[in-house]
Amino acid sequence: MTARDWDPEYRLMLEEARRSIDRQSERVQTVRERAIGLVGFGAIVAAAFGLGDTRAVDIVGILALLAFVVVAGSALYILKPRVFKFELSARLIESTLDLPSYEGIAHLHYSLAIRHDEHHAYNYRKLEHMQTAIAIGVLGLSIETVALVVRLMLS
């Protein structure tokens, strides 16, 4: 069986690989949008601290400030520019065509699907770190919110 006989299967592999990369790109955008929202909510909670009757700095205020720093730091980490691999360059495709092992369009479909899979794995590691940072930011926001509630209850 030649590589040409496998063309429909290889095309399916390539289509699925492209869809996977597209979904991953959307997830990166979603994580970045969440980071912006996280800082917004953190800023609202921090501003609420300034509305209280007391201006004294106590342990609850310090805890809230540290929690806001964690929220902001998490967001900055997420929003830091990163290189993701979502596209395949024309040069890469051309280099596949120039390989001595090139066997036609089926081979090209197969090679591109494999390259998309490699890019997916590369991007996955970065996205995983960004999602961990979101979780840390949410924890910081939770601590900040609880500190605000404690401050309101004590005043």
Side-chain angles (χ1 to χ4, degrees), residues 84-112:
F84 285 94
K85 297 179 180 181
F86 294 123
E87 301 93 14
L88 297 177
S89 70
R91 296 240 185 257
L92 175 79
I93 296 169
E94 181 186 33
S95 69
T96 303
L97 298 174
D98 292 337
L99 291 174
S101 61
Y102 179 70
E103 297 178 19
I105 193 70
H107 181 260
L108 182 62
H109 288 155
Y110 173 78
S111 297
L112 295 179

Side-chain angles (χ1 to χ4, degrees), residues 111-123:
S111 297
L112 295 179
I114 295 302
R115 188 59 59 115
H116 272 308
D117 187 59
E118 291 167 356
H119 288 183
H120 187 273
Y122 172 85
N123 295 337

Side-chain angles (χ1 to χ4, degrees), residues 33-47 68 71-72 75 141 144:
E33 289 168 1
R34 287 181 182 164
I36 292 167
L38 198 60
V39 170
F41 284 119
I44 290 169
V45 173
F68 181 72
V71 170
L141 181 59
E144 188 181 5

Side-chain angles (χ1 to χ4, degrees), residues 2-150:
T2 66
R4 186 169 301 284
D5 296 331
W6 285 93
D7 192 39
E9 290 85 352
Y10 290 158
R11 268 189 276 147
L12 178 63
M13 281 176 58
L14 181 57
E15 289 170 14
E16 286 302 314
R18 284 180 181 154
R19 274 195 281 277
S20 178
I21 286 289
D22 288 344
R23 283 189 304 270
Q24 198 173 52
S25 175
E26 291 167 5
R27 281 195 294 270
V28 168
Q29 185 60 33
T30 300
V31 167
R32 288 188 169 154
E33 289 168 1
R34 287 181 182 164
I36 292 167
L38 198 60
V39 170
F41 284 119
I44 290 169
V45 173
F49 264 92
L51 298 177
D53 293 339
T54 179
R55 297 284 183 240
V57 178
D58 57 0
I59 190 71
V60 176
I62 292 170
L63 179 64
L65 177 64
L66 292 175
F68 181 72
V69 168
V70 168
V71 170
S74 296
L76 287 174
Y77 175 79
I78 293 162
L79 296 173
K80 179 182 93 171
R82 289 176 174 72
V83 174
F84 285 94
K85 297 179 180 181
F86 294 123
E87 301 93 14
L88 297 177
S89 70
R91 296 240 185 257
L92 175 79
I93 296 169
E94 181 186 33
S95 69
T96 303
L97 298 174
D98 292 337
L99 291 174
S101 61
Y102 179 70
E103 297 178 19
I105 193 70
H107 181 260
L108 182 62
H109 288 155
Y110 173 78
S111 297
L112 295 179
I114 295 302
R115 188 59 59 115
H116 272 308
D117 187 59
E118 291 167 356
H119 288 183
H120 187 273
Y122 172 85
N123 295 337
Y124 181 82
R125 288 186 294 277
K126 290 184 176 190
L127 185 57
E128 193 173 54
H129 290 135
M130 292 170 71
Q131 289 172 326
T132 300
I134 281 287
I136 291 169
V138 168
L139 177 64
L141 181 59
S142 299
I143 292 169
E144 188 181 5
T145 304
V146 167
L148 174 62
V149 170
V150 168

